[in-house]
Amino acid sequence: MSGSLNRQRFVDAALDVIADVGVDKLSMRRVASQLGVSAMAMYKHFANKDELLGAAFEEFIARAEVLPDDQLPWDEWLTVSARGMYQALCSEMSWVPWLGKLRLGGNALRVTERFAAKLAESGLATDASVRVYMATIQLVVGAVCMRTSLHAGHWQQGEAAAAMPEALSPEIFTGLANAVAQEPIDISLPLLIEGVRHQLLA
């Protein structure tokens, strides 16, 4: 069996394990068990768990729809890309704590370069384009964490309203209750895009 297993099969199995138990509990032994082979069979393709994890993250990025059609205007392109990141991370939240720890591979670098290049094509300076990319990543990760927190608490609009201090003005009270009922990215992403638009017009 092990002779017919290539690197991609192990990567696919690693993503299956992550979907079952999360990134923190990924191990060479679990992946090997998933495929019915000895863990030693994996060392032909991966020197250690970190290398396997990096390869799995690269595949995770490849499967996410984060590089839209280049023909889209910059603001639509950014929206589709950010929402793709958001949906991917919402589908597997356990990647979030690892985002700053993993060494960037080819797919991650490709997304970074294309994102910055798309904004530069719109008229932003390279430094500003990179900053918008970083702001987008921060926005997406924050929105994913907020969504997870709200869902973990099973908040519905009525429950959220009931939990808010009565000292708030009616306008702020209503605004907060409505905001909690929205997808977090639907609040923050339009504000980011509007900020970029102002930079382009300045």
Side-chain angles (χ1 to χ4, degrees):
M1 172 79 172
S2 60
S4 65
L5 293 176
N6 57 25
R7 180 183 174 89
Q8 187 61 46
R9 289 284 302 281
F10 285 114
V11 171
D12 292 341
L15 288 175
D16 288 340
V17 169
I18 288 170
D20 287 340
V21 299
V23 175
D24 285 346
K25 294 183 179 179
L26 178 71
S27 68
M28 305 283 267
R29 185 179 301 277
R30 284 181 186 272
V31 174
S33 176
Q34 179 89 359
L35 294 170
V37 298
S38 164
M40 292 303 296
M42 300 185 63
Y43 288 96
K44 176 182 177 181
H45 303 284
F46 307 97
N48 49 45
K49 174 187 169 180
D50 287 344
E51 192 172 311
L52 172 64
L53 190 58
F57 186 58
E58 276 287 281
E59 181 65 19
F60 176 76
I61 294 172
R63 295 182 184 185
E65 297 180 2
V66 296
L67 287 178
D69 186 338
D70 275 344
Q71 301 304 312
L72 290 175
W74 72 266
D75 50 349
E76 292 181 29
W77 195 98
L78 192 158
T79 297
V80 174
S81 181
R83 288 188 181 281
M85 297 177 192
Y86 178 72
Q87 290 166 4
L89 286 174
C90 283
S91 73
E92 188 47 72
M93 175 68 180
S94 66
W95 281 113
V96 170
W98 290 85
L99 295 180
K101 305 175 186 178
L102 296 169
R103 183 175 181 178
L104 297 181
N107 288 334
L109 292 173
R110 192 172 302 112
V111 172
T112 303
E113 290 175 353
R114 188 66 208 111
F115 199 107
K118 184 67 179 180
L119 290 169
E121 289 167 8
S122 72
L124 281 182
T126 300
D127 179 65
S129 297
V130 172
R131 287 176 179 274
V132 172
Y133 171 71
M134 290 303 298
T136 303
I137 297 296
Q138 293 166 15
L139 180 154
V140 167
V141 171
V144 170
C145 292
M146 179 62 74
R147 183 181 191 274
T148 302
S149 297
L150 293 175
H151 280 221
H154 306 293
W155 274 28
Q156 302 297 326
Q157 186 171 9
E159 294 171 341
M164 292 178 187
E166 295 179 359
L168 289 174
S169 70
E171 293 81 5
I172 294 178
F173 183 95
T174 300
L176 284 174
N178 289 337
V180 168
Q182 290 182 263
E183 284 288 334
I185 198 167
D186 290 337
I187 299 171
S188 49
L189 183 56
L191 296 175
L192 174 65
I193 291 173
E194 190 61 26
V196 176
R197 189 172 288 117
H198 278 296
Q199 288 192 53
L200 289 170
L201 294 174

